[in-house]
């Protein structure tokens, strides 16, 4: 127990660090956020990410009412694929341009909307919520994660190893219980998208669109 005013003032930060650790360790797909009305401006390659985005898991565009997935490439690859930004076409690829923007290539030839499924931090107790999914369903793990962060603050190194071992034990059990909610570890945005039902092998969304 520590009643020091400095410690109490830092409790929200300690809880926030514990929540962040648990979110990363559990890696649950249910915390992904879907944004369906991202504005893509014609003749402009840079697209603003939704607030709070860490990275995109899936990204695509709507053209003529039809959805077309975009494929992740490196920034250098995109520069070589479409070096002339004045040449307009329907985008096929994107890269992580900055903390707040993606780059679409080729340069979009019209205004359109994009849809993204992104990894983002869920709201936590440290944000002033009385209840959260983590607190209600993994309270023991959250408590352990916060204790580890608190031990760093008060420098109680003799207890840290014991708390860490107990956290690891609980984490393994909880990950087994929540295995159907964990993000697919084999997922890669570089893999081709699965074919829609009824689409023959070798046929793409562009082919079916004519």
């Amino acid at each position: 127990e520590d009643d020091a005013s400095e410690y109490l003032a830092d409790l929200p930060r300690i809880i926030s660090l514990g929540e962040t650790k648990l979110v990363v360790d559990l890696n649950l797909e249910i915390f992904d956020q879907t944004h369906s009305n991202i504005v893509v401006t014609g003749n402009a390659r840079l697209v603003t990410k939704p607030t709070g985005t860490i990275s995109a898991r899936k990204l695509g565009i709507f053209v003529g009412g039809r959805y077309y997935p975009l494929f992740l490439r490196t920034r250098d690859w995109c520069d070589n694929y479409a070096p002339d930004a004045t040449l307009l076409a329907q985008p096929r690829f994107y890269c992580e341009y900055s903390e707040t923007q993606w780059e679409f290539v080729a340069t979009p030839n019209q205004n359109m909307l994009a849809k993204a499924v992104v990894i983002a931090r869920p709201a936590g107790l440290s944000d002033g919520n009385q209840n959260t999914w983590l607190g209600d369903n993994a309270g023991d793990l959250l408590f352990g994660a916060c204790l580890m962060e608190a031990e760093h603050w008060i420098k109680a190194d003799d207890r840290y190893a014991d708390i860490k071992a107990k956290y690891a034990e609980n984490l393994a059990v909880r990950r087994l219980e929540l295995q159907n909610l964990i993000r697919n570890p084999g997922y890669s945005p570089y893999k081709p998208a699965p074919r829609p039902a009824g689409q023959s092998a070798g046929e793409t969304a562009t082919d079916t669109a004519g």
Side-chain angles (χ1 to χ4, degrees), residues 4-16:
S5 58
E6 296 90 348
Y7 177 73
L8 294 177
D10 275 345
L11 271 178
R13 175 62 174 165
I14 291 170
I15 294 172
S16 176

Side-chain angles (χ1 to χ4, degrees), residues 35-46:
H35 301 268
S36 302
N37 295 295
I38 302 169
V39 175
V40 180
T41 304
N43 201 32
R45 289 188 169 187
L46 299 184

Side-chain angles (χ1 to χ4, degrees), residues 40-78:
V40 180
T41 304
N43 201 32
R45 289 188 169 187
L46 299 184
V47 178
T48 301
K49 299 177 182 179
T51 302
T53 294
I54 296 175
S55 66
R57 299 195 69 228
K58 290 182 283 188
L59 185 58
I61 55 176
F62 293 98
V63 178
R66 190 184 185 98
Y67 176 80
Y68 295 86
L70 299 181
F71 301 101
L72 176 63
R73 297 292 185 266
T74 65
R75 187 169 175 182
D76 182 62
W77 193 98
C78 288

Side-chain angles (χ1 to χ4, degrees), residues 31-146:
F31 294 140
D32 290 349
Q33 297 179 1
T34 300
H35 301 268
S36 302
N37 295 295
I38 302 169
V39 175
V40 180
T41 304
N43 201 32
R45 289 188 169 187
L46 299 184
V47 178
T48 301
K49 299 177 182 179
T51 302
T53 294
I54 296 175
S55 66
R57 299 195 69 228
K58 290 182 283 188
L59 185 58
I61 55 176
F62 293 98
V63 178
R66 190 184 185 98
Y67 176 80
Y68 295 86
L70 299 181
F71 301 101
L72 176 63
R73 297 292 185 266
T74 65
R75 187 169 175 182
D76 182 62
W77 193 98
C78 288
D79 288 343
N80 285 304
Y81 171 76
D84 188 351
T86 64
L87 296 179
L88 309 182
Q90 180 176 313
R92 296 183 58 199
F93 306 99
Y94 77 98
C95 67
E96 296 283 353
Y97 185 82
S98 70
E99 294 180 19
T100 59
Q101 293 176 310
W102 293 302
E103 182 179 26
F104 286 11
V105 293
T107 306
N109 55 0
Q110 59 181 296
N111 295 338
M112 60 188 73
L113 294 177
K115 177 181 179 180
V117 178
V118 304
I119 296 176
R121 294 281 180 262
L125 297 171
S126 56
D127 299 308
N129 297 291
Q130 295 298 312
N131 293 88
T132 65
W133 193 94
L134 289 176
D136 293 342
N137 297 280
D140 55 342
L141 279 175
L142 180 57
F143 181 64
C146 292

Side-chain angles (χ1 to χ4, degrees), residues 20-32:
T20 298
K21 175 177 177 55
L22 185 52
V23 167
V24 172
D25 287 347
L26 285 177
N27 194 32
L28 300 184
E29 191 170 23
I30 59 173
F31 294 140
D32 290 349

